[in-house]
Amino acid sequence: MNLVQVGLIAAVAVPAHLAGALWYGILFGKPWYTHVYEIPKRKMENSGSVTPYIISFASNVAVSYLLYVWFGMQSTFDLPITIAFASVVIMTLAAPHFAFSQWSPIVYLIDCSHSIVSFIIMAYAHCHLIHRQKLAS
């Protein structure tokens, strides 16, 4: 893997990370915060810390890398099937976490839909921008 490929993998993670800022800010920030912290009277542990943002971006880069490998192994791309499969995996793996945390179903839907939207952004970029060019050359 060369430096350009590493840069592309990181660059694809940026819009997904920005989607998270939009998702938990303007779009669903208030209901998410209300159901996670205000209703159960929890204290926000990492208030003011950059650590959650670093972890979030690192997670996006890791998913971007996995998508790079996934689409790099295929000669034909089936983006809708990839997205459908990933959506089921995301929602299935998140379900026990939310069941044991006893958070509201609203939090589950906000978190899972954010993960799915971020995945779609990165999968689209890999499928149509990075790997399509690779096949054409």
Side-chain angles (χ1 to χ4, degrees), residues 5-27:
Q5 291 167 320
V6 172
L8 286 172
I9 289 167
V12 166
V14 171
H17 191 68
L18 294 175
L22 182 65
W23 208 261
Y24 291 104
I26 296 169
L27 296 176

Side-chain angles (χ1 to χ4, degrees), residues 13 17 46 49-63 114:
H17 191 68
N46 291 323
S49 172
V50 297
T51 303
Y53 300 102
I54 294 169
I55 292 170
S56 174
F57 185 70
S59 297
N60 284 329
V61 171
V63 170
H114 163 255

Side-chain angles (χ1 to χ4, degrees), residues 71-72 74-77 127 130-137:
F71 286 118
Q74 299 180 36
S75 58
T76 59
F77 302 108
C127 187
I130 296 173
H131 291 288
R132 287 279 188 223
Q133 293 176 353
K134 184 176 136 183
L135 288 177
S137 57

Side-chain angles (χ1 to χ4, degrees), residues 57-123:
F57 185 70
S59 297
N60 284 329
V61 171
V63 170
S64 180
Y65 173 74
L66 293 173
L67 284 167
Y68 180 83
V69 171
W70 172 256
F71 286 118
M73 293 182 345
Q74 299 180 36
S75 58
T76 59
F77 302 108
D78 201 342
L79 187 59
I81 289 176
T82 300
I83 290 170
F85 178 75
S87 298
V88 170
V89 169
I90 288 166
M91 295 185 79
T92 303
L93 291 175
H97 170 71
F98 284 91
F100 284 105
S101 68
Q102 299 178 349
W103 283 343
S104 163
I106 298 297
V107 174
Y108 172 75
L109 292 175
I110 292 170
D111 285 352
C112 286
S113 59
H114 163 255
S115 295
I116 292 167
V117 166
S118 294
F119 183 86
I120 290 170
I121 290 168
M122 289 187 281

